[in-house]
Structures are given as structure tokens and as C-alpha cells.
Amino acid sequence: MKDFLQIYRYTFRYRWTAITVILCNLGFVIFNLISMALFIPFLKLLFEGAEDAVVSPPIYDGSFTGFFKYVGQSYNYEMYAMTEADPKGALLFVCITVAIAFFLKNLFRYGAVWFQSQLRMAIVRDVRDDLFEKAMKLPISYYTDEKRGDLMSRMNSDVDKIENAVVSFLELIFREPFAIIITISVLLYWSVSLTVFALLLLPVVALIIVVIGKSLKRTAKQGQEQMGVLMSSIDEALGGIRIIKAFNAMSQVVKSFNRENLKHQKLITKAFRKRDLTSPLNETIGSIVMITIVWYGGILVLDESSGLNGQIFMGFIIVFSQLMRPIQGVSQSISNLNQAYASLDRINGILNADEKIYESENPVKVTEIREGVRYENVVFRYQDEDVIKNVSFDIPAGKMIALVGESGSGKSTLADLLPRFYDVQEGAVKVDGVDVKELSMFDLRQHIGIVSQESILFNTTVRENIAFGMPDASDEDIIQAAKIANAHDFISDLDSGYDTNIGERGNKLSGGQKQRVSIARAILKNPSILILDEATSALDTESERLVQDALEHLMENRTSLVIAHRLSTIQKADEILVLSKGEIKERGTHDELMQKDGIYAKLSSMQGINA
């Protein structure tokens, strides 16, 4: 029921478009029935004569139910009068009337489709927008646990299922029930006993719909989950294509993909078979129901006391055959909704995910960093394991603090706590004496610039990458930032200069060039606090020299937290913290730590650095 209500809310987010679709569907139902029923009075007169015809104008008794009886009798009277005067003219009139009814039926049907297309795609757009916005808000830890391919699958194929659900919802609630009610009303008007007999057979169809629907939802959810696995395989393979080729692992990767793809194919095939079974099964059952009705109706026609004649019975069969269409429509709509519910569960898994990093209700705004940053008895746990253990240190304004240590010692985690990519469980990270949890996240991050080991660039121009997050930056400022970052010369040599598209993840540039563009981006932002996460560790000697020179320009008079792999780059740091297993083991300047002849001194000697 909860899923059903959520589909309702999505559908009526665009209330007037949804109402227009409903009205068009109702028009289709009415004229579909009229197009069938218009023949009956003429057939009766043509084959039976005027014995049971309405030979005088009917009188309206003023009641609601009497109105429909009055309309039917009026049409019957007009047909009697026309048939008596000119039978061929009456036949022509009926044909033209039926043609108009068919035209209006299909006009309303297309009108429903016209507005449905607008409604369904608007909702798909909104759901995808909501998913993407939520994905941007989710903490970094979410992407540690989840696969990007699975997220992409939810934003693609799962959202498409919601599109089908919107149409199915409108038809299930506002078209098919109306069609069933109005059709049954006409059938009851003609023969109560035959209609009751026919309706007793329909619960069999409903039972089959329910059983197949539950089974379909289970299979559909498994199929969508497998699609997430498949998308993740594609994402990983394309991202690691160099390593795959270098290690001659193409056969291994292809076999792994083929195996996952085969699982997906089997699940989706199973879902399709269950879904597509509904229609032929309903048609088979419908034909059995129809044959049974013909048998029972035939008995009533042969029994003159029943009041059912051949022409009314023929009309009954024609109209009852139309009753099977909305019943089959209900079956198909329920099938689509069951598939959508499985996708909705996966979509809600993202939309309802805990963001963990929350904005303070009354955030403190930061306009300028005067005192600096303080880590105060910081404890951080990941999956119940202490990653940072009671760490305290200060980064005075304008000073440089360096973090060194083996991989997994907690260096990057400490850096990530400052811009609130994660939040501490105990202790506090403070900026100018204020806990970062009390600060506006936008203002806090506006004061922080990050240059990481992996240069994160986007598939757009050099200009747009440097001005990322600062769309109003002038060309002069962008060029000046590039010059400070030692990037202007190589950018100018590119085919289109600053307007050159650098490809996915900046793959058209070398490692050093990408890093200098990243530094130019940080320089243009002009942050008060700078985080450098092993910014030169992956570069060759020449590139390192150029990048290190650019970094020194960037760090001038800035509060800097530097994570270093190459210790030669941090010898000028105001303080160096040596981390091991989430704890500070040593601290001091380069010279002080070398004199201690401890962990830092050993790391330095391994890199050829002497006291």
C-alpha cells in the first residue's frame, strides 16, 4: 500500500495533466461502449420488426437512473421512426453514427496518450533529479560501501519502471474500473441473470492475476539487482582497461562479465515470461468464460419465458467481449506496478539513505579564518573499528602541518574530517574555535581548497575545469591562476588553448599537466585552508618540480594540511606529525624528528634523505 501511495504522489505531482489524462480515458471508455451499443436497436428492428420497439416518445421521470433509461429509449424510438420511414437511410445513419463514435473514441485515446507522454517523462525527470541530488548529498562513506554501477542502474532502468507505473496507475484506478462498471451496468440492463452468471466466473481470473503478480515482483527485483552488478562490472572494466590489457586479463574479465550477463539474461527472461504469460492466460480463460456464457445465454434465448431474445443476446456477447479488455488491462497494470514496486524499493534505498552529515539548524557563518584549525581529542570509527584514536593538534593560521606515515595510518581520514566528508564520533574539529558541525557547510567548504593525489578533472574544457564551482570567474583570473600553477604554457600549446576539451577524467593530459590544472583550480578559488593529499607522489621528477613550485606558490600565507609520501616535499613544514594505526607517534620539525632517530628518520633514510 505504501508503494501504491508513492506512485499516486508521483502521478499527481502534475495534477492538471493527470486529470486531463483521466478525462481523456473516460471519454475513450464511453465512446468505445457507445460504438458497440449503437448497433443493437437497429439489429433488433431489422431482424425482429417493431414488435418490441419503442413506438412512442418516452417520458423522463426526473430520476438519475431514469435519465439513462430515457436516453436509451429515445434512441430506440428514433431508430424505430427512421426504420419505418426509410430502412436504408436508418442503416446509413447507424453506420455514420458508429463511425463518429469510433472517431471520438480514438481521438480521446490519442489525447490520453498525448498527455501521458508529457506526464510520464516529467515524472521520470523529477525522480532522476531527486536521485542525483540525493547522490550528491550522500556522504563519502556511502560510496565506500556501494557500487557506482548499481547506483547508475537505479537511476536508469529502475526509474524507467516508474514511467510505466504512472501510466498503469492511471489506467488501473481511473480507466479500467470505470469501463468495467459502465459495461456491467449495460449488461445488467439487458439481462440480470446472464450478467450475474458471467460475473461469477471472473474471480478465477483475479486469482491468477494475484498469484502471477507476486511471483513477478520477486523476479523483477532480482533482475534489477543483477543489472546493478552488471553496470558495476562495466564501470570497473572500462575504468581499469589499461591494467586489464597490461596483465593480459581480457579473457578473464570477459568471462566474468559473460557470467554476470548470463545471470541477468536468465532473470529478465524469467520476468518477461511471467509478465507475458498474463495476457495469453487471461485470453484463454476469457475465451472459456465466453463459451460458457454463450452456452448459458443460448439456453435463456431458447427459453421464451426468460425475456432474452437473439438480438439482445448478440449485443450482450459483443459488449461482454469489451469487458474482457479492461479486465486484461487491470491484469497488465498490476503486472507493471509489481515490477515498478521492485524498482521503487531500490530507488527508495537511495532516497531514504541516511545522509549522516547534517547541516546545523542555525549554522555559524565563516567570513575569514583568523586563528586556524584545531583537532581536539578526535576519535573516528568506521564499521566499529577505530581509525583515528584520540588525536589532537593545531594548524595555526598561515602555517603548514604535514602528516606522514604508512598506508592505512589515518592520514587521509584526518584530512577528510576537516571539510566534513566524514564526522567525528568523539572530540571535535574546530575552525577559529568553532566546531565544524556548527558551521555552514557551504561556507566551510568555500574556505577549503583540495589538491589530491588523483587529479579529479571533468570531461569539458580546460577553462571550465579551472573555473569549476566558480562559473563567474573572468578569463584574466583563470589565466593568472594557470600561470601561478605553471600550467599556462602547456595550455597555450593545446589545439584550442583554454577551450580544449580534455576528455574523460582529463585523459588527454599527462599526469603532471592534470595536477597543475587541479592546482590552478585551487588557486582560482583562493581558499584560506589548503589540503594537499600526496599531490606529487604519482609524478615523475620533472613534473614534480613544476608541481612542487606551483604548490609553494599556492601555500603562501595559507593554513595548510599536507599529506606527504615523498618526505622531501615537507622539510619546510612548521610541524610534521608521524601517524601509525590512527595515533600520533612522533611530532616536530624535520630537524627535530631526524635528531630523534625514530620512525620519521627511518622513513627519510629509506628515501635517501639524511639529517
Side-chain angles (χ1 to χ4, degrees):
M1 189 63 181
K2 182 179 66 175
D3 292 338
F4 187 81
L5 290 175
Q6 189 171 354
I7 297 294
Y8 168 83
R9 287 193 294 272
Y10 279 137
T11 303
F12 281 89
R13 184 177 289 184
Y14 298 92
R15 183 177 293 106
W16 293 112
T17 305
I19 290 173
T20 304
V21 173
I22 292 168
L23 292 176
C24 287
N25 276 328
L26 295 183
F28 163 72
V29 169
I30 291 170
F31 283 101
N32 181 56
L33 184 62
I34 288 175
S35 65
M36 297 291 103
L38 285 176
F39 273 114
I40 307 305
F42 180 77
L43 291 174
K44 185 175 181 181
L45 288 167
L46 189 64
F47 294 109
E48 289 190 350
E51 298 162 357
D52 297 324
V54 179
V55 297
S56 59
I59 299 173
Y60 177 42
D61 62 8
S63 66
F64 177 75
T65 55
F67 171 76
F68 297 101
K69 185 175 182 180
Y70 170 75
V71 171
Q73 289 180 343
S74 296
Y75 181 74
N76 288 345
Y77 170 73
E78 292 298 330
M79 287 305 305
Y80 164 75
M82 290 179 65
T83 304
E84 287 293 302
D86 181 10
K88 292 182 180 178
L91 177 61
L92 179 62
F93 172 78
V94 170
C95 292
I96 293 173
T97 306
V98 171
I100 293 172
F102 268 103
F103 172 76
L104 292 174
K105 177 188 87 169
N106 288 295
L107 181 65
F108 278 109
R109 182 181 183 180
Y110 184 68
V113 172
W114 175 280
F115 289 103
Q116 273 177 2
S117 61
Q118 176 186 343
L119 179 65
R120 65 202 291 181
M121 295 316 301
I123 291 169
V124 164
R125 179 200 65 210
D126 289 348
V127 174
R128 202 165 272 144
D129 283 347
D130 291 344
L131 277 173
F132 188 80
E133 182 178 353
K134 181 70 175 188
M136 294 297 100
K137 290 180 179 179
L138 287 171
I140 302 296
S141 58
Y142 180 87
Y143 297 98
T144 305
D145 300 328
E146 298 291 335
K147 295 180 178 180
R148 288 184 302 173
D150 184 57
L151 179 60
M152 292 165 62
S153 172
R154 298 187 198 203
M155 295 181 69
N156 185 24
S157 56
D158 283 310
V159 171
D160 288 342
K161 294 292 187 299
I162 304 300
E163 172 192 351
N164 294 331
V166 169
V167 177
S168 297
F169 172 82
L170 289 174
E171 292 177 352
L172 180 63
I173 302 301
F174 299 104
R175 189 181 79 180
E176 312 302 16
F178 183 76
I180 292 170
I181 290 169
I182 195 172
T183 303
I184 290 175
S185 299
V186 171
L187 296 177
L188 286 170
Y189 175 75
W190 281 337
S191 174
V192 173
S193 60
L194 186 56
T195 302
V196 170
F197 177 81
L199 294 180
L200 289 174
L201 302 174
L202 296 182
V204 178
V205 180
L207 179 62
I208 292 171
I209 290 171
V210 171
V211 172
I212 293 177
K214 287 183 178 180
S215 176
L216 178 61
K217 180 180 179 180
R218 289 193 301 271
T219 306
K221 187 171 184 177
Q222 292 170 354
Q224 293 304 102
E225 289 172 349
Q226 184 62 25
M227 173 55 79
V229 174
L230 203 61
M231 293 293 289
S232 294
S233 298
I234 295 171
D235 182 61
E236 289 176 357
L238 295 179
I241 189 68
R242 289 175 179 269
I243 298 300
I244 291 170
K245 289 180 178 293
F247 283 81
N248 286 326
M250 285 184 290
S251 176
Q252 176 185 340
V253 172
V254 169
K255 285 179 181 178
S256 175
F257 177 81
N258 289 345
R259 187 166 54 251
E260 298 300 335
N261 200 19
L262 179 61
K263 289 181 184 177
H264 177 261
Q265 176 246 312
K266 288 181 178 178
L267 284 168
I268 295 301
T269 301
K270 190 176 180 182
F272 281 158
R273 285 172 176 170
K274 288 183 179 180
R275 186 191 66 185
D276 295 338
L277 174 64
T278 306
S279 181
L281 193 59
N282 281 342
E283 188 172 332
T284 301
I285 295 172
S287 65
I288 295 172
V289 170
M290 189 68 70
I291 292 168
T292 308
I293 290 171
V294 169
W295 168 77
Y296 183 71
I299 292 175
L300 293 178
V301 171
L302 294 174
D303 183 3
E304 295 181 359
S305 63
S306 68
L308 184 67
N309 58 48
Q311 277 62 53
I312 291 179
F313 178 57
M314 186 163 57
F316 187 99
I317 295 298
I318 293 173
V319 173
F320 185 81
S321 68
Q322 295 302 299
L323 179 62
M324 298 309 295
R325 186 205 57 77
I327 289 175
Q328 290 175 358
V330 167
S331 171
Q332 189 62 50
S333 295
I334 291 175
S335 174
N336 290 339
L337 284 172
N338 278 314
Q339 282 190 304
Y341 293 158
S343 294
L344 201 58
D345 289 344
R346 285 165 49 78
I347 289 172
N348 287 334
I350 297 175
L351 294 178
N352 298 331
D354 187 0
E355 294 178 18
K356 297 182 182 179
I357 311 296
Y358 294 101
E359 186 81 78
S360 171
E361 292 184 4
N362 298 298
V364 178
K365 291 197 173 183
V366 185
T367 56
E368 185 181 357
I369 307 298
R370 295 185 178 89
E371 300 174 17
V373 177
R374 167 170 288 185
Y375 283 72
E376 194 172 273
N377 301 317
V378 169
V379 174
F380 177 77
R381 299 183 186 89
Y382 181 70
Q383 293 182 346
D384 298 325
E385 180 182 351
D386 285 352
V387 179
I388 304 296
K389 305 171 185 176
N390 197 34
V391 169
S392 298
F393 64 92
D394 292 336
I395 313 176
K399 300 296 183 180
M400 170 185 169
I401 300 297
L403 303 177
V404 300
E406 74 274 9
S407 297
S409 60
K411 305 185 297 296
S412 296
T413 302
L414 274 174
D416 287 342
L417 294 174
L418 179 53
R420 293 193 69 195
F421 294 156
Y422 303 94
D423 271 344
V424 301
Q425 278 81 33
E426 295 178 28
V429 179
K430 297 181 178 180
V431 174
D432 282 0
V434 181
D435 194 324
V436 291
K437 292 181 180 179
E438 301 299 321
L439 299 176
S440 161
M441 275 195 283
F442 181 84
D443 287 345
L444 172 65
R445 291 169 182 172
Q446 196 71 8
H447 284 282
I448 298 175
I450 299 176
V451 180
S452 59
Q453 177 180 1
E454 181 184 0
S455 303
I456 307 298
L457 299 178
F458 300 91
N459 191 4
T460 182
T461 65
V462 176
R463 183 190 311 279
E464 289 172 313
N465 270 284
I466 294 176
F468 188 73
M470 297 159 282
D472 297 327
S474 66
D475 289 347
E476 292 77 13
D477 290 339
I478 292 171
I479 292 172
Q480 183 61 27
K483 286 180 177 178
I484 296 173
N486 291 330
H488 177 70
D489 290 342
F490 87 78
I491 293 173
S492 300
D493 291 338
L494 296 174
D495 292 340
S496 302
Y498 283 83
D499 293 317
T500 303
N501 188 292
I502 60 175
E504 187 176 358
R505 300 179 184 178
N507 285 337
K508 292 182 181 179
L509 305 179
S510 69
Q513 290 172 335
K514 288 193 287 187
Q515 199 68 299
R516 279 177 277 165
V517 171
S518 297
I519 294 170
R521 180 171 61 194
I523 291 171
L524 183 63
K525 187 177 183 181
N526 193 26
S528 303
I529 301 171
L530 185 64
I531 298 174
L532 303 180
D533 190 351
E534 301 188 356
T536 63
S537 64
L539 304 179
D540 59 80
T541 304
E542 178 62 21
S543 295
E544 181 185 358
R545 186 187 63 78
L546 291 169
V547 170
Q548 189 62 37
D549 182 53
L551 289 174
E552 288 176 1
H553 283 98
L554 177 59
M555 287 189 290
E556 287 178 1
N557 301 317
R558 299 185 200 277
T559 306
S560 303
L561 179 61
V562 180
I563 298 172
H565 175 69
R566 294 183 179 177
L567 303 185
S568 59
T569 62
I570 58 164
Q571 293 183 27
K572 297 179 182 179
D574 295 284
E575 186 177 27
I576 299 170
L577 307 179
V578 182
L579 293 173
S580 178
K581 297 181 180 179
E583 297 179 290
I584 298 176
K585 298 297 185 180
E586 296 177 1
R587 61 196 308 164
T589 63
H590 170 74
D591 292 336
E592 291 171 347
L593 292 174
M594 292 298 288
Q595 289 176 5
K596 288 182 179 180
D597 197 23
I599 299 173
Y600 180 81
K602 291 179 181 178
L603 291 173
S604 296
S605 63
M606 290 172 64
Q607 295 185 20
I609 301 173
N610 299 315

